[in-house]
Amino acid sequence: MPPRTDIDFMHLALAQARAAADSGEVPVGAVIVKSGEVIASGANRPIAQHDPTAHAEILALRRAGEALSDYRLLDTTLYVTLEPCIMCASAIIHARVQRVVFGAWDPKAGAAGSVMNVFTTPQLNHRVDVFGGVLIEECANLLSEFFRARRA
């Protein structure tokens, strides 16, 4: 089987986002990959868990740490359907994730270039390779449809 691509993994993150939407949560999903294999996933759950930190990325980071028995997630890639916020970007850096691939930009809270770029803060001792815009239309449309339905 050929190696999976960023698009393939983003489709898996989209499935997590759809699961979040089905539960009434903002549709954001994440998967973490190491050596071409998914080791963890997460879907937004702040409402269900009564926890403001229960973002898809945070839940995936926690599960990946458990899967690897290590809080340092070296040589991993995190795929997420929405540009990480400040909290998530900071956690990603502290976890030593190697690479982040995201779908839609977040002009209100994005911390990978939209509002600010936490990942390029020179004082931090870990650099994360960040790439945005993968399946941007699918990711953005899922969010737009969710909020359109909530306003109706």
Side-chain angles (χ1 to χ4, degrees):
M1 179 158 89
R4 292 195 198 173
T5 66
D6 287 346
I7 290 171
D8 295 328
F9 290 119
M10 188 61 74
H11 278 295
L12 298 176
L14 275 163
Q16 291 293 316
R18 288 185 191 97
D22 291 344
S23 298
E25 303 275 359
V26 174
V28 179
V31 297
I32 298 180
V33 173
K34 184 176 177 85
S35 301
E37 298 295 325
V38 174
I39 60 167
S41 61
N44 259 8
R45 292 284 183 259
I47 297 168
Q49 293 187 4
H50 311 289
D51 179 356
T53 70
H55 289 196
E57 300 97 307
I58 299 297
L59 296 177
L61 289 168
R62 289 175 182 160
R63 291 174 183 145
E66 290 171 4
L68 298 176
S69 297
D70 196 345
Y71 74 97
R72 291 185 182 230
L73 307 179
L74 302 174
D75 302 317
T76 59
T77 299
L78 185 148
Y79 294 87
V80 62
T81 57
L82 182 65
E83 178 184 3
C85 70
I86 296 167
M87 174 185 68
C88 292
S90 297
I92 290 163
I93 292 166
H94 285 291
R96 304 297 195 264
V97 170
Q98 180 178 7
R99 193 166 166 254
V100 171
V101 177
F102 68 88
W105 295 89
D106 185 350
K108 294 182 180 178
S114 288
V115 174
M116 65 180 56
N117 196 335
V118 172
F119 296 105
T120 59
T121 303
Q123 294 85 355
L124 299 177
N125 66 350
H126 178 68
R127 297 288 169 256
V128 179
D129 183 21
V130 181
F131 185 72
V134 174
L135 296 180
I136 188 170
E137 290 179 13
E138 283 185 60
C139 294
N141 288 341
L142 184 60
L143 287 157
S144 296
E145 290 168 15
F146 175 82
F147 286 114
R148 190 177 312 114
R150 302 284 276 199
R151 285 187 221 108

